[in-house]
mmCIF file of all heavy atoms in Angstrom:
data_model
loop_
_atom_site.group_PDB
_atom_site.id
_atom_site.type_symbol
_atom_site.label_atom_id
_atom_site.label_comp_id
_atom_site.label_asym_id
_atom_site.label_seq_id
_atom_site.Cartn_x
_atom_site.Cartn_y
_atom_site.Cartn_z
ATOM 1 N N MET D 10 -47.509 109.218 122.125
ATOM 2 C CA MET D 10 -46.330 108.651 121.521
ATOM 3 C C MET D 10 -45.976 107.350 122.237
ATOM 4 O O MET D 10 -45.842 107.308 123.456
ATOM 5 C CB MET D 10 -45.191 109.657 121.636
ATOM 6 C CG MET D 10 -43.909 109.181 121.090
ATOM 7 S SD MET D 10 -42.734 110.545 121.269
ATOM 8 C CE MET D 10 -41.574 110.047 120.107
ATOM 9 N N ARG D 11 -45.814 106.272 121.460
ATOM 10 C CA ARG D 11 -45.480 104.976 122.044
ATOM 11 C C ARG D 11 -43.990 104.870 122.276
ATOM 12 O O ARG D 11 -43.199 105.247 121.428
ATOM 13 C CB ARG D 11 -45.904 103.854 121.102
ATOM 14 C CG ARG D 11 -47.388 103.638 121.086
ATOM 15 C CD ARG D 11 -47.772 102.612 120.088
ATOM 16 N NE ARG D 11 -47.051 101.360 120.308
ATOM 17 C CZ ARG D 11 -47.348 100.247 119.685
ATOM 18 N NH1 ARG D 11 -48.320 100.214 118.827
ATOM 19 N NH2 ARG D 11 -46.664 99.154 119.918
ATOM 20 N N ARG D 13 -40.735 102.653 122.582
ATOM 21 C CA ARG D 13 -40.245 101.383 122.063
ATOM 22 C C ARG D 13 -39.460 100.699 123.180
ATOM 23 O O ARG D 13 -38.525 101.272 123.733
ATOM 24 C CB ARG D 13 -39.333 101.644 120.867
ATOM 25 C CG ARG D 13 -39.132 100.442 120.044
ATOM 26 C CD ARG D 13 -38.356 100.841 118.848
ATOM 27 N NE ARG D 13 -37.533 99.695 118.538
ATOM 28 C CZ ARG D 13 -36.763 99.596 117.516
ATOM 29 N NH1 ARG D 13 -36.660 100.592 116.693
ATOM 30 N NH2 ARG D 13 -36.067 98.527 117.293
ATOM 31 N N ALA D 19 -28.018 90.495 129.642
ATOM 32 C CA ALA D 19 -26.609 90.420 130.024
ATOM 33 C C ALA D 19 -26.026 89.196 129.318
ATOM 34 O O ALA D 19 -26.723 88.199 129.103
ATOM 35 C CB ALA D 19 -26.465 90.294 131.533
ATOM 36 N N GLY D 28 -8.607 81.980 124.329
ATOM 37 C CA GLY D 28 -9.478 83.148 124.386
ATOM 38 C C GLY D 28 -9.758 83.648 122.977
ATOM 39 O O GLY D 28 -9.325 83.066 121.994
ATOM 40 N N SER D 36 -15.044 89.248 120.829
ATOM 41 C CA SER D 36 -14.414 90.419 121.449
ATOM 42 C C SER D 36 -15.046 91.708 120.939
ATOM 43 O O SER D 36 -15.241 92.658 121.720
ATOM 44 C CB SER D 36 -12.914 90.418 121.157
ATOM 45 O OG SER D 36 -12.314 89.276 121.725
ATOM 46 N N LEU D 37 -15.361 91.756 119.659
ATOM 47 C CA LEU D 37 -15.999 92.946 119.098
ATOM 48 C C LEU D 37 -17.381 93.159 119.698
ATOM 49 O O LEU D 37 -17.753 94.286 120.050
ATOM 50 C CB LEU D 37 -16.069 92.834 117.572
ATOM 51 C CG LEU D 37 -14.706 92.761 116.856
ATOM 52 C CD1 LEU D 37 -14.885 92.438 115.379
ATOM 53 C CD2 LEU D 37 -13.927 94.045 117.041
ATOM 54 N N GLU D 39 -18.385 92.005 122.601
ATOM 55 C CA GLU D 39 -18.194 92.316 124.017
ATOM 56 C C GLU D 39 -17.942 93.816 124.207
ATOM 57 O O GLU D 39 -18.501 94.439 125.116
ATOM 58 C CB GLU D 39 -17.025 91.500 124.569
ATOM 59 C CG GLU D 39 -16.746 91.736 126.025
ATOM 60 C CD GLU D 39 -15.560 90.934 126.539
ATOM 61 O OE1 GLU D 39 -14.887 90.235 125.749
ATOM 62 O OE2 GLU D 39 -15.295 91.025 127.747
ATOM 63 N N GLY D 56 -4.186 75.784 128.505
ATOM 64 C CA GLY D 56 -4.240 74.446 129.087
ATOM 65 C C GLY D 56 -5.596 74.244 129.728
ATOM 66 O O GLY D 56 -5.715 74.215 130.955
ATOM 67 N N ARG D 71 -22.883 84.554 137.558
ATOM 68 C CA ARG D 71 -23.298 85.268 138.768
ATOM 69 C C ARG D 71 -23.043 86.771 138.649
ATOM 70 O O ARG D 71 -23.834 87.584 139.141
ATOM 71 C CB ARG D 71 -22.602 84.680 139.999
ATOM 72 C CG ARG D 71 -23.136 83.290 140.368
ATOM 73 C CD ARG D 71 -22.573 82.779 141.685
ATOM 74 N NE ARG D 71 -21.138 82.540 141.662
ATOM 75 C CZ ARG D 71 -20.554 81.445 141.178
ATOM 76 N NH1 ARG D 71 -21.285 80.474 140.660
ATOM 77 N NH2 ARG D 71 -19.242 81.310 141.224
ATOM 78 N N VAL D 81 -27.655 85.501 128.584
ATOM 79 C CA VAL D 81 -27.434 84.659 127.413
ATOM 80 C C VAL D 81 -25.970 84.237 127.396
ATOM 81 O O VAL D 81 -25.074 85.065 127.591
ATOM 82 C CB VAL D 81 -27.778 85.423 126.108
ATOM 83 C CG1 VAL D 81 -27.446 84.583 124.881
ATOM 84 C CG2 VAL D 81 -29.241 85.818 126.100
ATOM 85 N N HIS D 85 -17.982 80.046 121.952
ATOM 86 C CA HIS D 85 -17.298 79.681 120.723
ATOM 87 C C HIS D 85 -16.385 78.498 120.993
ATOM 88 O O HIS D 85 -15.730 78.427 122.041
ATOM 89 C CB HIS D 85 -16.475 80.853 120.176
ATOM 90 C CG HIS D 85 -15.725 80.503 118.929
ATOM 91 N ND1 HIS D 85 -14.388 80.196 118.936
ATOM 92 C CD2 HIS D 85 -16.146 80.368 117.652
ATOM 93 C CE1 HIS D 85 -14.008 79.900 117.702
ATOM 94 N NE2 HIS D 85 -15.055 79.989 116.911
ATOM 95 N N PRO D 118 -10.871 63.914 114.613
ATOM 96 C CA PRO D 118 -9.407 63.841 114.629
ATOM 97 C C PRO D 118 -8.711 65.151 114.998
ATOM 98 O O PRO D 118 -7.557 65.130 115.417
ATOM 99 C CB PRO D 118 -9.066 63.424 113.201
ATOM 100 C CG PRO D 118 -10.233 63.885 112.378
ATOM 101 C CD PRO D 118 -11.429 63.773 113.273
ATOM 102 N N PHE D 127 -11.960 67.641 128.597
ATOM 103 C CA PHE D 127 -13.245 67.896 127.939
ATOM 104 C C PHE D 127 -13.783 66.645 127.246
ATOM 105 O O PHE D 127 -14.922 66.631 126.796
ATOM 106 C CB PHE D 127 -13.111 69.034 126.926
ATOM 107 C CG PHE D 127 -13.076 70.394 127.549
ATOM 108 C CD1 PHE D 127 -11.954 70.836 128.225
ATOM 109 C CD2 PHE D 127 -14.159 71.253 127.465
ATOM 110 C CE1 PHE D 127 -11.901 72.097 128.806
ATOM 111 C CE2 PHE D 127 -14.128 72.511 128.038
ATOM 112 C CZ PHE D 127 -13.000 72.936 128.712
ATOM 113 N N VAL D 142 -24.357 77.080 115.699
ATOM 114 C CA VAL D 142 -23.957 77.641 114.417
ATOM 115 C C VAL D 142 -22.649 76.976 114.019
ATOM 116 O O VAL D 142 -21.692 76.970 114.803
ATOM 117 C CB VAL D 142 -23.776 79.175 114.488
ATOM 118 C CG1 VAL D 142 -23.397 79.735 113.115
ATOM 119 C CG2 VAL D 142 -25.037 79.845 115.010
ATOM 120 N N ALA D 156 -24.589 68.758 113.348
ATOM 121 C CA ALA D 156 -26.021 68.446 113.353
ATOM 122 C C ALA D 156 -26.344 67.455 114.472
ATOM 123 O O ALA D 156 -27.373 67.588 115.151
ATOM 124 C CB ALA D 156 -26.449 67.892 111.999
ATOM 125 N N HIS D 174 -13.716 77.884 110.970
ATOM 126 C CA HIS D 174 -14.033 77.688 112.384
ATOM 127 C C HIS D 174 -14.778 78.888 112.990
ATOM 128 O O HIS D 174 -14.950 78.967 114.203
ATOM 129 C CB HIS D 174 -12.744 77.391 113.155
ATOM 130 C CG HIS D 174 -12.950 76.867 114.529
ATOM 131 N ND1 HIS D 174 -13.808 75.826 114.838
ATOM 132 C CD2 HIS D 174 -12.400 77.254 115.710
ATOM 133 C CE1 HIS D 174 -13.773 75.592 116.141
ATOM 134 N NE2 HIS D 174 -12.930 76.442 116.691
ATOM 135 N N LEU D 175 -15.225 79.800 112.147
ATOM 136 C CA LEU D 175 -15.983 80.974 112.592
ATOM 137 C C LEU D 175 -15.223 81.746 113.668
ATOM 138 O O LEU D 175 -15.757 82.124 114.700
ATOM 139 C CB LEU D 175 -17.380 80.570 113.086
ATOM 140 C CG LEU D 175 -18.252 79.908 112.015
ATOM 141 C CD1 LEU D 175 -19.406 79.156 112.641
ATOM 142 C CD2 LEU D 175 -18.760 80.949 111.027
ATOM 143 N N SER D 179 -11.425 83.513 110.066
ATOM 144 C CA SER D 179 -12.526 83.464 109.093
ATOM 145 C C SER D 179 -12.833 84.838 108.514
ATOM 146 O O SER D 179 -13.594 84.948 107.555
ATOM 147 C CB SER D 179 -13.792 82.892 109.754
ATOM 148 O OG SER D 179 -13.561 81.585 110.234
ATOM 149 N N LEU D 181 -14.609 87.342 109.792
ATOM 150 C CA LEU D 181 -16.013 87.717 109.965
ATOM 151 C C LEU D 181 -16.197 89.140 110.490
ATOM 152 O O LEU D 181 -17.278 89.700 110.380
ATOM 153 C CB LEU D 181 -16.700 86.735 110.920
ATOM 154 C CG LEU D 181 -16.727 85.282 110.465
ATOM 155 C CD1 LEU D 181 -17.249 84.394 111.588
ATOM 156 C CD2 LEU D 181 -17.563 85.119 109.220
ATOM 157 N N GLY D 182 -15.174 89.706 111.097
ATOM 158 C CA GLY D 182 -15.311 91.041 111.688
ATOM 159 C C GLY D 182 -16.404 91.045 112.737
ATOM 160 O O GLY D 182 -16.444 90.157 113.593
ATOM 161 N N ALA D 193 -32.385 86.704 117.011
ATOM 162 C CA ALA D 193 -33.564 85.853 116.766
ATOM 163 C C ALA D 193 -33.712 84.804 117.861
ATOM 164 O O ALA D 193 -34.826 84.459 118.257
ATOM 165 C CB ALA D 193 -33.441 85.184 115.394
#
Side-chain angles (χ1 to χ4, degrees):
M10 178 178 200
R11 286 176 55 170
R13 198 174 147 176
S36 298
L37 297 171
E39 180 181 4
R71 289 187 295 278
V81 176
H85 178 259
F127 283 74
V142 182
H174 193 49
L175 299 162
S179 300
L181 299 172

